[in-house]
């Protein structure tokens, strides 16, 4: 089994999409943001220096319309929603380094620089265009992109016939180069089936990308530097955020950081990233992102989110009710990365109870209670360990391998499952060793020290492994073991074979059992 090792001191750059401010933060946004946070913490724990970007995408026709409908200036409207995103992530403990906004003056300058550069190089031309325009998508759609009833498949609305003169980015020029890149770099889009999907899309001729909107219908955007009658198409504007955040095109561009970018997205914006963004970069002469990680959708109760259900699964409210970081654990355990998953409240509560409350929570509290009551300070030495003790301790290393392999392969579910199995092995060990019986027999006091010591070493290891997913629980464990609050997050992934544990006074509080809310009857 080959596990790519992360190199100490290596830098990397991970991004979520910058979220469009036409909606408040929901489960889909939360998943990608939580995953990016987990990945950052996982890599940081292994010595990488990670820069994590998230933010908001704030221009375009939909935003202009929504602001107008609410009687607000667009800037006021986007400020409010952007703040909502930022404060949601802060409250959820998301460790982003950059919160990017496309209405910042630096962004405007960089987008205009890119447009002018492409125009000067002959990559942008002015053309009359007649086609089918979807307001929801904010773009013209080809016949092949419509469903069998001639509707936009995403918005289920008939596109409007529009005739417009616009500027086009000659994306079609880069079709060959893009195919070559995707074929030569098997990791450029992951999981693999999305790379195949894009390669198969590229078997059709690639059209050019309309990158302007006339001001008669849209003013809320970045003005074209070479024609003040137009603003920039929102996707062209937004995608540049990733690059501009690294200092491009200024003197201080951190080109090294750009070489390690991993974009995390959901599949609805795969084409915009794999095709538009890649060809824009090719035309600008900038290196392509090293990896694009693509997730499926979160469905709610197998269907579209209804308003009442939508209220029930506000990410913030879930964690407020059921415990900090519980959503992180559930989302990572439930989704097979790359495929769609269904969120159910029953599934979430089952997961909490089975793996957190009855799993790690129960194991920690069992061990802590017996050790605290009978020993206080636990000491053991290597020579006292039996074969069974050693076998359990060895599982720490095996689990770390499975855990890291899960992360390397984007099979986060496998990582979490391996960790849950380790908790089960610990429970079985306790059942077999019966420390409560040892505690009653004064001649067995030394054996009780050893059994409790083994369990406490296991708890420390479980805390270290799970820290990227459950940082709050890892801190609680570190506190109970008297190691200093942030010890488990900052000590790397080495498992210390401690000879002595001095336990703190108050019992660690991890995960309370959750109950299904009573069904309300609205009829
Ligand atoms: Zn549409």
């Amino acid at each position: 089994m080959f596990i790519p090792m992360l190199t100490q001191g290596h830098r990397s750059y991970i991004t979520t999409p910058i979220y469009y401010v036409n909606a408040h933060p929901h489960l889909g946004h939360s998943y990608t943001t939580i995953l990016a946070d987990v990945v950052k913490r996982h890599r940081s724990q292994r010595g990488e220096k990670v820069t994590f970007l998230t933010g908001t995408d704030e221009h375009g026709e939909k935003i202009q319309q929504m602001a107008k409908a609410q009687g607000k200036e667009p800037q006021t409207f986007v400020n409010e929603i952007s703040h909502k995103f930022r404060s949601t992530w802060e409250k959820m403990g998301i460790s982003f380094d950059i919160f990017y906004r496309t209405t910042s003056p630096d962004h405007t300058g960089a987008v205009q620089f890119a447009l002018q550069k492409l125009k000067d190089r002959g990559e942008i031309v002015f053309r009359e265009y007649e086609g089918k325009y979807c307001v929801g998508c904010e773009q013209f759609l080809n016949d092949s992109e419509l469903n069998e009833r001639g509707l936009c498949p995403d918005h289920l609305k008939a596109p409007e016939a529009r005739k417009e003169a616009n500027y086009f980015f000659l994306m079609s020029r880069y079709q060959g180069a893009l195919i070559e890149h995707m074929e030569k770099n098997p990791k450029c889009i992951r999981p693999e089936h999305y790379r195949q999907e894009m390669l198969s899309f590229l078997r059709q001729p690639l059209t050019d990308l309309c990158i302007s909107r006339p001001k008669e219908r849209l003013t809320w955007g970045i003005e074209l530097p070479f024609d003040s009658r137009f603003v920039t198409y929102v996707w062209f504007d937004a995608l540049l955020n990733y690059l501009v955040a690294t200092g491009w095109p200024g003197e201080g561009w951190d080109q090294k950081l750009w070489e390690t970018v991993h974009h995390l997205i959901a599949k609805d914006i795969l084409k915009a990233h794999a095709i538009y963004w890649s060809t824009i970069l090719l035309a600008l002469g900038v290196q392509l992102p090293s990896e694009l990680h693509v997730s499926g959708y979160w469905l709610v109760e197998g269907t579209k989110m209804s308003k009442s259900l939508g209220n029930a699964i506000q990410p913030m409210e879930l964690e407020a009710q059921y415990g900090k970081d519980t959503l992180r654990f559930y989302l990572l355990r439930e989704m097979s990365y790359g495929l769609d998953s269904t969120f159910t409240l029953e599934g979430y509560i089952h997961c909490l109870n089975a793996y957190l409350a009855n799993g790690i929570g129960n194991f920690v509290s069992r061990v802590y209670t017996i050790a605290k009551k009978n020993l206080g300070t636990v000491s053991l030495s290597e020579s006292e360990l039996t074969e069974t003790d050693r076998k359990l301790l060895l599982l720490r290393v095996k689990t770390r391998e499975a855990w890291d392999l899960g992360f390397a392969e984007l099979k986060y579910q496998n990582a979490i499952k391996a960790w849950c199995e380790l908790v089960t092995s610990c429970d079985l060990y306790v059942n077999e060793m019966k420390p409560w019986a040892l505690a009653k027999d004064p001649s067995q006091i030394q054996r009780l020290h050893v059994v409790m010591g083994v369990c406490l070493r296991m708890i420390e290891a479980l805390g270290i492994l799970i820290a990227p997913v459950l940082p709050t629980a890892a801190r609680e464990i570190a506190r109970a073991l008297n190691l200093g609050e942030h010890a488990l997050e900052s000590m790397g992934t080495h498992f210390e074979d401690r000879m002595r544990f001095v336990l703190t006074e108050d019992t660690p509080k991890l995960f309370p059992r959750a109950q299904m809310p009573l069904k309300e009857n609205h009829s």
Side-chain angles (χ1 to χ4, degrees), residues 134 136-137 152 155:
C134 173
C137 295
C152 163
H155 297 96

Side-chain angles (χ1 to χ4, degrees), residues 9-72:
H10 181 77
R11 293 173 70 205
S12 65
Y13 179 32
I14 48 176
T15 68
T16 71
I18 51 169
Y19 300 114
Y20 204 37
V21 291
N22 66 339
H24 285 226
H26 57 60
L27 195 64
H29 303 122
S30 298
Y31 175 71
T32 310
T33 310
I34 284 172
L35 179 61
D37 184 66
V38 170
V39 169
K40 177 186 170 175
R41 290 173 192 269
H42 176 84
R43 292 185 189 173
S44 303
Q45 211 180 16
R46 282 149 187 77
E48 268 197 31
K49 190 173 170 351
V50 184
T51 306
F52 168 12
L53 170 143
T54 189
T56 44
D57 173 8
E58 306 180 10
H59 289 126
E61 214 165 328
K62 262 182 279 185
I63 304 305
Q64 182 173 287
Q65 288 167 355
M66 287 177 83
K68 199 178 163 197
Q70 295 187 17
K72 287 176 182 159

Side-chain angles (χ1 to χ4, degrees), residues 225-244:
F226 42 80
D227 192 337
S228 62
R229 297 170 303 158
F230 293 87
V231 294
T232 312
Y233 171 45
V234 66
W235 267 114
F236 185 94
D237 154 6
L239 287 164
L240 277 162
N241 91 85
Y242 302 126
L243 181 61
V244 178

Side-chain angles (χ1 to χ4, degrees), residues 134-139 141 152-157:
C134 173
V135 179
C137 295
E138 302 188 22
Q139 62 177 335
L141 299 175
C152 163
D154 292 335
H155 297 96
L156 300 175
K157 275 190 186 157

Side-chain angles (χ1 to χ4, degrees), residues 490-516:
S490 57
M491 70 205 301
T493 58
H494 170 70
F495 302 131
E496 197 76 47
D497 282 324
R498 291 183 202 281
M499 307 292 203
R500 217 171 112 83
F501 288 93
V502 185
L503 303 177
T504 47
E505 275 312 314
D506 35 329
T507 315
K509 290 169 204 69
L510 291 176
F511 302 98
R513 277 187 63 84
Q515 277 186 342
M516 270 301 282

